[in-house]
Amino acid sequence: MPVRVFLTGAGPGDPELLTLKAWRVISAADVILHDSLVDPRIIALARKDAHCIDVGKRCGLHSATQSDINKLLVEYAQAGNIVVRLKGGDPMIFGRATEELQALQAHNIPYEVIPGITAATAAAASLGISLTQRKIARSVHFLTGHGAEDGLPAHDWVALTRAGGTLVIYMGRETVAGLAAHFIEAGMPPDMPAVAIENASLANEHVTHGTIGSLPRDVHDRGGKGPTLILVGEALENRKALKATIREAVLF
Ligand SMILES: C[S@@+](CC[C@H](N)C(=O)[O-])C[C@H]1O[C@@H](n2cnc3c(N)ncnc32)[C@H](O)[C@@H]1O
């Protein structure tokens, strides 16, 4: 049986950050089941007669609809359609991919996963920051900032703080105050550089930079509504110095 379902990363927002493979399957799809965060300009690449359905999952919430999405994937594929399941960023990073792949496997439906640019690397590009800066950040940690029942996740705060790498926190805007309090209590200096980046890669991108001590108030005062990533660590220190270089290098 040919591959029927493509679990596809739509990247962080800017349509130019789609992979060629993602573009190809989006253009060929009979049915596209997409998350709310996927940019409309990317949906517009679909065939005019393609059936595009916003399955409305945002930020990993609404888990009640996950079984409906699994069911739609299976039903559309079994009816002979080419189905693209389009997710923001990379489908394998905080994307509930496992549940969807298991549903397809359970029905012997062939699938392919097409990776996308995750928000962390889009943010690093925008900020001009290497997440793994030599001698400063020897590891990168992708964390969720969102735990069960809207609370904080049960991270090992001390281990994360001691690791001394760059912390990249997805879905952490609403819980940033609690996250910061845990890290500081675990021994992180309150003046550790920290950045919140909203709508990374898009024209309305907004960066709030400060420290782990100052960020909760600044993020709250801004009241942003777009998807926001929080980055913490020594590597963020270089941001201002590098930004000037990036501006000069812009060609278009
Ligand atoms: C459910 S997670 C999905 C992550 C996605 N699979 C990825 O690889 O980027 C949604 C979270 O990703 C982050 N995010 C996604 N797109 C973003 C963007 N363009 N700018 C900043 N953060 C973004 C936000 O933290 C948002 O709450």
Side-chain angles (χ1 to χ4, degrees):
M1 222 204 321
V3 172
R4 283 282 170 233
V5 179
F6 295 88
L7 187 63
T8 306
D14 178 353
E16 302 235 338
L17 294 178
L18 271 182
T19 64
L20 289 177
K21 200 164 195 178
W23 184 7
R24 189 163 63 78
V25 296
I26 291 167
S27 319
D30 300 307
V31 178
I32 298 182
L33 303 174
H34 64 89
D35 287 354
S36 300
L37 278 181
V38 176
D39 193 282
R41 291 170 295 172
I42 291 175
I43 311 294
L45 299 172
R47 281 180 4 221
K48 290 221 168 5
D49 61 339
H51 191 23
C52 299
I53 306 167
D54 181 348
V55 289
K57 280 170 63 63
R58 277 192 70 118
C59 307
L61 299 175
H62 311 307
S63 53
T65 66
Q66 185 63 54
S67 62
D68 296 337
I69 295 170
N70 298 349
K71 211 164 151 235
L72 286 174
L73 277 173
V74 169
E75 284 173 3
Y76 279 118
Q78 285 179 332
N81 295 290
I82 297 171
V83 183
V84 169
R85 173 70 176 105
L86 196 55
K87 291 169 177 276
D90 184 282
M92 306 307 235
I93 305 282
F94 299 123
R96 308 272 310 251
T98 306
E99 288 105 310
E100 296 178 15
L101 296 184
Q102 282 172 345
L104 296 170
Q105 282 162 0
H107 292 84
N108 289 320
I109 296 169
Y111 60 79
E112 180 176 340
V113 180
I114 301 177
I117 293 179
T118 189
T121 49
S126 287
L127 294 167
I129 284 292
S130 165
L131 301 177
T132 55
Q133 207 178 134
R134 212 165 81 86
K135 294 187 180 166
I136 290 183
R138 292 185 175 82
S139 59
V140 184
H141 307 257
F142 289 177
L143 313 173
T144 176
H146 174 85
E149 293 168 14
D150 290 351
L152 283 171
H155 292 310
D156 184 338
W157 308 97
V158 173
L160 287 169
T161 300
R162 281 205 190 127
T166 305
L167 306 177
V168 183
I169 305 165
Y170 290 73
M171 299 169 279
R173 187 186 52 223
E174 303 306 325
T175 52
V176 62
L179 294 165
H182 274 290
F183 284 126
I184 292 169
E185 198 185 315
M188 185 180 283
D191 63 353
M192 178 65 79
V195 168
I197 179 164
E198 182 181 348
N199 293 319
S201 85
L202 290 165
N204 59 351
E205 174 181 290
H206 184 273
V207 180
T208 305
H209 49 97
T211 65
I212 192 68
S214 69
L215 205 67
R217 168 165 288 253
D218 294 342
V219 167
H220 178 266
D221 289 351
R222 165 155 174 81
K225 296 279 175 266
T228 302
L229 204 66
I230 293 171
L231 300 100
V232 182
E234 300 281 4
L236 277 305
E237 187 85 275
N238 259 354
R239 202 198 79 86
K240 281 186 210 150
L242 288 171
K243 196 69 186 175
T245 320
I246 291 171
R247 282 219 190 86
E248 279 165 27
V250 169
L251 296 177
F252 305 105

